[in-house]
Amino acid sequence: MRGRRGHGHAPGLPAVGEPSIVGRDAEVERLARLTGLGADVPSGDVLLGADAPRGGVRLGADAAGGGVLLVTGEPGVGKSTLLEDAARRAAHAGHRVLRATGRESERDLAFAGLHQLLRPVLDEADELPERQRRALLGAFGFADAPGEPLLTGLAVLTLLSRLADRTPVVLVVDDAQWIDAASAGVLSFVAWRLDDDPVALLVAVRDGEPLAGFDHAFPAITLAPLDDAASRRLLDLRAPELPAGIRDRVLAEAAGNPLALLELAKTAQKRATHAFRAPHALDPDDHAHSPLPVGERLAAGYAAQVAELPEVCRRTLLLLAAADVADPPDAVLALLPDPDDKAWLTLEQAGLIGRAGRQVRFRHPLVRSAVYQSAPLDARAQAHRALAGVLGDEPDRRAWHLAAATPYPDAEVSAALERTADRARRRGGYAAAAKALARAAELSPVPDDGTRLLVDAAGLAVLTGHLAWVEELAERVRARTDDPAVLAAATLRVGRLTALTRRHNAVFAELIGIAGDPAATHPATALDALAAAAVLRFYSGDASHWREIDRILPRLPDDPLRDWVRMVADPFGGGRRLVPRLPGMIAAARNHPERLTALAVAAWILDEIAPAVRTFDEAVRSWRTRGPIPDGLAGVAALAYFEYGRWAQAREVCADIGALAAGKLDHAAACVLATDAMVLAAQGDTAEARALAERALRLVDPLESRSVAVHARRATAAAAAAEGDYESAYEQYRALFDRGGDPVHYHASYPALPELAAAAARTGRHAEAAEIVERSARALAEGGSARLHALVERSRALLAGPEQAERAFLAALAEPALEHRPFEHAQTRLEYAEWLRRRRRIAEARPHLAAAHDVFARLDARPWAERARAELRAAGTDVAVPDPHGLAELSPQQRQIVRLAARGLTNREIGERLFLSPRTVGSHLYRVFPKLGVTTRAQLRDVVDAGGVPQE
């Protein structure tokens, strides 16, 4: 990352008009359509617009939006060729093509891939909003700015959107399996938001090496080996003179791999005067295929070619392979032969490299790998030392080259890697930082320092969400020391991430072991372990977990964290008495996102919803600038926003965390799936709600993740009730309490009491439900929150006779705590109004019905809004249907955009808040204006003031 200018075109691209790629007509056409260069969109393809599901493709040169496509396959199958062809066509059509190629040598350099991609356009970063400009340049080390990965992603999105205002943009990322994790994270962020910009992202990745953030999320082409006809046609074009017998051997051995076909044919032609036997061919007497994969056989062939070259050529190749850069800096060029030296001609004639000006490219990554792996260890080390000696102005690259050249402990090299880790961490490159610390630990000559570095590496690796890596680092710590405090710290880091999987009981036992051994554990570490155990207690809802925590808690020193443990693990017992301490604890945690998140969770669990949401707002803002994986309990923010009436924001949090957790952290993914299902069920999207709830339950063990199980079943029950299937609804609600009527989960089950009562009233199960309600009322008599007391009263009202029902309804409605939960409050008002209307107290019912309907319409809670409208009509009041402002047609995200635009925010400012490009914001507004019956932004305030858009 030496400068802000560079070249955007790869060397050696064939001219337009050359023969098309053999055997890949369908794939070529699909990439052409994606980049706006092909035929019209066929009916089977999906357009990716603002309201379309992720992973679709917006096609065609005149399409408003972009798209994403992954190209996967084995080495040599033609991924790079396909991307080269697409890039060439796009450039010929006048599109802006930005390219990056993953390199093994750069996968540990934070944002190296992103810098390679954007280097040709970095001058345009000066036109970005100041915070975005600083975040982007800070990521590349050009500005002294803290790491803000999501703000960096937004800066890239805005930059691409600005470029696309002038001409369509095509991003081509080859060998993405070697792209550094920080760059992959930004690319994933951008890919999920290419809604309305004419930007296409083409990504090539090897089979079996999934790219984080892209797993199963986007459409993909998997390149299979060429069929026999295509293989023969390729040989006809490239090796027409090949004798028939040798031709059949080449076809058999290549097994449809295009690179293998061409390389084997080239070798065969060179040896045509001798009996055909390529260096990596089968023995003539063998009747079975070689056990080695095609890629390994090719690498062996390349290594054999290299071995036949003069020494200067081998040394040049090794330096290039070790440096692994397409555009070598001047310092590296000084180590290579002069441009006119015949060594370059020899290498080009051998077909191992290609040159265009300063740029040097290996013919295929397998060539680079073969050159490097076939070189003796001392030769490799010498190459790395030479490179380190000339890269003084690039300290991170220098540190890694020194590390590659150093087989034994070295304090200086270890310190250099530690400094590299610190720079990566400050820029938000947590994976790069963890890798640098882990290598620094290996090279540290002081055992205790090495162990400390490994523990720190594990802590940073937690932020990547890769549990296996964290466990590996912890195991390396265990192999180095028997210090109980250090072992506890390593185990704690593993436990925090493992808590987001399904292994709750096993992890809980480990954490309790740490917390309960004060002789071997520092008190602060013991408290941290007990806090992590309290998180698992919340997830599992297991009563035995609370007994273990309660046994240890009194032994630990008085500390705010000890109070937090009690709030989370025992909210209706001793935790309730600690509520007055919350404001002070929150004030003391300002600018500490993890502590703010934890305290917001405690406030929510204690039913202090208003301070919980305020604290979550601050914590989420801080978290979004911190890194890719939030604290595990950040998913509770979605539940808090749902209860507080910010449903669009709840779904946004679910989407953010779900995308990060998918495929890695099953429990975290299940949490947000279940929460999202609850929102969708309330809005009447019953099929999708049920599907998400089922997915959540498949990801966890319901006995170890009772919180997920309860929320998923609540969503399924709500979906059934919305469809009028109260029998199924009652069965699901009843499952939230055990056979004796006690809650399955000490916190999550109680809020479902009114829904249980409502379903019981419609299915004739009054007595059973009333027994559960009264049992819950007794359990909550002393420690229950005001909100839960109101829900108990509402449940009683739904099950009571005429004499007691009204008193219970009024008691519920009199509780101010319910007003902070608009959906629950509106439900109570609707149910009371229905009770009043059935007793012909129409005038008293109407105000409650109107107020409830307004809330339901604002939240887009369609089943409830329809129910309220039916009651209003029965009460003699007409309700306009559909909504006069057309709000029912808007998505939650569109309503958020309308709300912010009504407050006077520009498209750029809205984009910064919602992590969208300004163009996407403008496109949304363009589409919603006709639906809202407005023609200018100024009119949006009237829509908002009329109560049509949630005031989030």
Side-chain angles (χ1 to χ4, degrees):
M1 300 183 190
R2 293 164 290 100
R4 292 174 55 184
R5 292 185 181 274
H7 306 286
H9 300 287
L13 286 178
V16 174
E18 287 189 8
S20 60
I21 299 171
V22 173
R24 304 293 189 200
D25 293 350
E27 291 85 352
V28 167
E29 176 60 19
R30 187 165 180 188
L31 266 70
R33 292 199 310 267
L34 179 64
T35 54
L37 303 171
D40 292 336
V41 183
S43 59
D45 282 296
V46 182
L47 296 183
L48 177 57
D51 302 317
R54 298 289 180 193
V57 182
R58 185 69 177 246
L59 307 169
D62 298 324
V68 182
L69 187 66
L70 273 65
V71 181
T72 68
E74 66 179 6
V77 79
K79 303 183 297 296
S80 298
T81 302
L82 203 58
L83 262 61
E84 290 277 9
D85 181 74
R88 174 176 57 87
R89 291 169 181 265
H92 184 71
H95 296 357
R96 186 63 181 260
V97 179
L98 300 174
R99 305 168 59 97
T101 299
R103 302 189 180 103
E104 288 180 280
S105 66
E106 294 186 344
R107 67 191 310 175
D108 297 331
L109 296 175
F111 297 108
L114 188 66
H115 178 262
Q116 186 188 156
L117 186 73
L118 298 182
R119 190 171 61 167
V121 296
L122 269 185
D123 283 344
E124 309 228 12
D126 293 338
E127 304 302 318
L128 293 173
E130 179 59 20
R131 289 181 65 237
Q132 294 182 33
R133 185 188 71 82
R134 284 182 58 80
L136 182 59
L137 297 183
F140 299 145
F142 298 144
D144 185 14
E148 300 186 40
L150 288 183
L151 193 57
T152 301
L154 180 60
V156 174
L157 188 65
T158 304
L159 178 61
L160 294 175
S161 182
R162 286 173 180 256
L163 293 172
D165 282 339
R166 300 195 286 271
T167 184
V169 175
V170 178
L171 309 176
V172 178
V173 182
D174 200 3
D175 283 321
Q177 71 275 358
W178 293 324
I179 289 288
D180 63 279
S183 296
V186 170
L187 288 174
S188 173
F189 175 94
V190 170
W192 281 83
R193 289 161 175 81
L194 290 179
D195 287 343
D196 296 278
D197 297 285
V199 179
L201 173 59
L202 309 179
V203 181
V205 63
R206 284 187 181 178
D207 275 346
E209 301 189 49
L211 183 61
F214 289 83
D215 304 357
H216 312 296
F218 297 99
I221 295 174
T222 298
L223 295 186
L226 296 177
D227 60 24
D228 185 65
S231 296
R232 292 179 181 279
R233 192 160 66 253
L234 181 60
L235 280 185
D236 287 342
L237 287 170
R238 299 298 181 91
E241 305 299 324
L242 204 62
I246 296 177
R247 175 191 181 90
D248 290 340
R249 290 294 307 279
V250 168
L251 288 168
E253 187 166 344
N257 184 287
L259 182 63
L261 278 166
L262 298 178
E263 293 299 313
L264 288 168
K266 182 176 70 172
T267 301
Q269 285 179 318
K270 286 181 180 179
R271 305 183 179 209
T273 58
H274 306 286
F276 169 60
R277 182 173 175 81
H280 47 294
L282 297 172
D283 188 285
D285 295 328
D286 286 345
H287 299 288
H289 288 291
S290 168
L292 287 176
V294 169
E296 292 186 30
R297 281 181 277 153
L298 283 171
Y302 290 136
Q305 285 182 262
V306 171
E308 298 174 357
L309 293 171
E311 169 64 22
V312 65
C313 293
R314 294 201 303 273
R315 187 168 63 251
T316 298
L317 284 175
L318 181 56
L319 280 166
L320 287 171
D324 195 16
V325 286
D327 186 5
D330 291 337
V332 173
L333 287 174
L335 298 173
L336 301 173
D338 292 332
D340 298 327
D341 193 290
K342 66 178 182 180
W344 291 111
L345 180 61
T346 301
L347 292 174
E348 289 179 280
Q349 288 177 337
L352 296 173
I353 65 165
R355 284 195 305 164
R358 292 171 57 99
Q359 291 192 319
V360 184
R361 174 181 289 187
F362 282 102
R363 178 170 181 169
H364 190 275
L366 285 174
V367 178
R368 192 208 72 82
S369 178
V371 168
Y372 189 81
Q373 297 299 330
S374 63
L377 288 176
D378 59 341
R380 290 190 228 169
Q382 186 177 354
H384 284 295
R385 277 194 295 272
L387 290 165
V390 298
L391 290 173
D393 61 342
E394 296 189 49
D396 295 336
R397 289 185 188 277
R398 179 178 181 274
W400 278 109
H401 281 299
L402 285 172
T406 307
Y408 305 110
D410 186 301
E412 182 181 342
V413 178
S414 178
L417 284 170
E418 193 171 358
R419 291 191 294 273
T420 286
D422 185 58
R423 285 188 290 269
R425 178 191 56 77
R426 284 188 278 112
R427 287 154 48 201
Y430 300 109
K435 289 178 181 178
L437 287 178
R439 181 67 176 128
E442 294 174 352
L443 294 175
S444 175
V446 180
D448 287 349
D449 286 348
T451 303
R452 170 186 59 82
L453 291 169
L454 276 178
V455 173
D456 291 345
L460 286 169
V462 167
L463 295 172
T464 70
H466 291 285
L467 178 59
W469 186 21
V470 179
E471 289 176 325
E472 176 200 333
L473 291 169
E475 192 58 39
R476 288 166 63 182
V477 171
R478 296 184 189 105
R480 294 175 67 112
T481 184
D482 56 2
D483 184 326
V486 176
L487 294 175
T491 301
L492 182 55
R493 281 157 175 75
V494 175
R496 282 178 172 159
L497 198 55
T498 310
L500 301 181
T501 69
R502 63 175 71 196
R503 292 154 44 188
H504 292 164
N505 287 341
V507 178
F508 182 85
E510 289 184 354
L511 294 171
I512 285 295
I514 295 172
D517 190 1
T521 304
H522 189 279
T525 304
L527 267 173
D528 283 343
L530 203 62
V535 172
L536 287 170
R537 147 72 170 163
F538 177 78
Y539 288 157
S540 71
D542 193 323
S544 68
H545 287 179
W546 166 239
R547 289 192 292 272
E548 286 292 305
I549 292 172
D550 192 38
R551 175 179 61 83
I552 295 171
L553 202 57
R555 305 179 193 170
L556 299 180
D558 190 20
D559 186 277
L561 188 54
R562 192 174 80 162
D563 291 342
W564 184 87
V565 169
R566 190 170 292 278
M567 291 176 187
V568 170
D570 185 32
F572 307 136
R576 188 74 205 161
R577 295 192 294 272
L578 299 172
V579 169
R581 299 188 188 183
L582 264 176
M585 295 169 71
I586 291 170
R590 300 295 181 209
N591 302 318
H592 295 281
E594 287 187 357
R595 289 168 60 191
L596 282 173
T597 300
L599 290 168
V601 168
W604 175 77
I605 288 177
L606 292 167
D607 277 337
E608 300 296 313
I609 188 68
V613 167
R614 287 195 299 269
T615 308
F616 269 129
D617 284 343
E618 186 173 350
V620 168
R621 282 194 297 271
S622 298
W623 153 58
R624 278 185 159 151
T625 67
R626 186 180 188 279
I629 292 288
D631 184 281
L633 282 172
V636 173
L639 286 167
Y641 290 140
F642 173 54
E643 292 177 5
Y644 203 59
R646 296 186 183 181
W647 290 9
Q649 197 169 1
R651 298 205 67 201
E652 183 183 342
V653 171
C654 288
D656 284 345
I657 298 175
L660 296 168
K664 295 184 293 188
L665 306 171
D666 286 349
H667 179 85
C671 282
V672 295
L673 285 170
T675 302
D676 209 14
M678 290 173 65
V679 180
L680 290 173
Q683 291 183 322
D685 191 347
T686 57
E688 183 65 12
R690 194 174 284 109
L692 292 183
E694 289 172 357
R695 282 176 57 195
L697 289 172
R698 286 197 298 269
L699 287 174
V700 298
D701 178 346
L703 295 179
E704 291 202 30
S705 296
R706 291 180 179 86
S707 59
V708 169
V710 167
H711 291 130
R713 288 183 176 126
R714 280 190 68 184
T716 303
E723 295 169 345
D725 184 0
Y726 292 102
E727 288 285 347
S728 296
Y730 181 80
E731 290 176 7
Q732 291 290 337
Y733 286 127
R734 180 63 184 84
L736 307 186
F737 299 84
D738 64 21
R739 293 182 61 183
D742 289 324
V744 167
H745 188 277
Y746 69 99
H747 184 271
S749 292
Y750 287 128
L753 283 170
E755 282 88 355
L756 170 74
R762 290 177 179 265
T763 56
R765 294 181 172 89
H766 291 69
E768 183 181 40
E771 184 178 340
I772 294 173
V773 169
E774 293 309 318
R775 190 177 184 88
S776 298
R778 290 191 294 273
L780 298 169
E782 293 187 9
S785 65
R787 176 240 187 161
L788 289 180
H789 290 312
L791 293 182
V792 166
E793 292 295 343
R794 176 181 156 201
S795 305
R796 284 170 168 163
L798 292 167
L799 297 169
E803 300 78 12
Q804 295 83 29
E806 185 165 21
R807 181 206 60 77
F809 273 128
L810 293 174
L813 289 169
E815 177 50 61
L818 218 56
E819 295 178 5
H820 293 298
R821 290 175 170 80
F823 186 50
E824 290 179 357
H825 193 223
Q827 287 174 305
T828 309
R829 296 192 77 168
L830 173 60
E831 289 160 350
Y832 178 44
E834 289 173 331
W835 185 89
L836 288 170
R837 194 187 64 77
R838 286 197 299 271
R839 280 145 191 82
R840 309 209 184 282
R841 295 163 60 178
I842 306 298
E844 295 175 72
R846 284 175 182 152
H848 292 290
L849 289 171
H853 175 265
D854 287 348
V855 172
F856 296 142
R858 174 170 68 83
L859 296 175
D860 196 25
R862 292 184 293 277
W864 292 88
E866 291 166 6
R867 184 168 152 186
R869 282 196 294 269
E871 287 291 327
L872 280 166
R873 285 193 294 269
T877 301
D878 288 332
V879 181
V881 181
D883 186 284
H885 297 302
L887 292 164
E889 300 178 34
L890 303 190
S891 69
Q893 186 179 72
Q894 287 173 333
R895 287 198 296 273
Q896 256 188 317
I897 291 171
V898 167
R899 175 179 59 81
L900 294 172
R903 287 168 47 187
L905 275 69
T906 65
N907 288 1
R908 188 187 75 188
E909 292 167 335
I910 296 170
E912 283 213 14
R913 291 206 180 193
L914 302 183
F915 293 91
L916 301 170
S917 75
R919 184 188 184 103
T920 295
V921 173
S923 179
H924 276 300
L925 288 172
Y926 177 81
R927 288 196 291 270
V928 304
F929 273 23
K931 298 177 182 179
L932 299 178
V934 300
T935 56
T936 67
R937 294 172 80 102
Q939 294 172 297
L940 293 176
R941 182 174 296 277
D942 295 333
V943 175
V944 173
D945 290 344
V949 177
Q951 297 295 318
E952 297 176 357

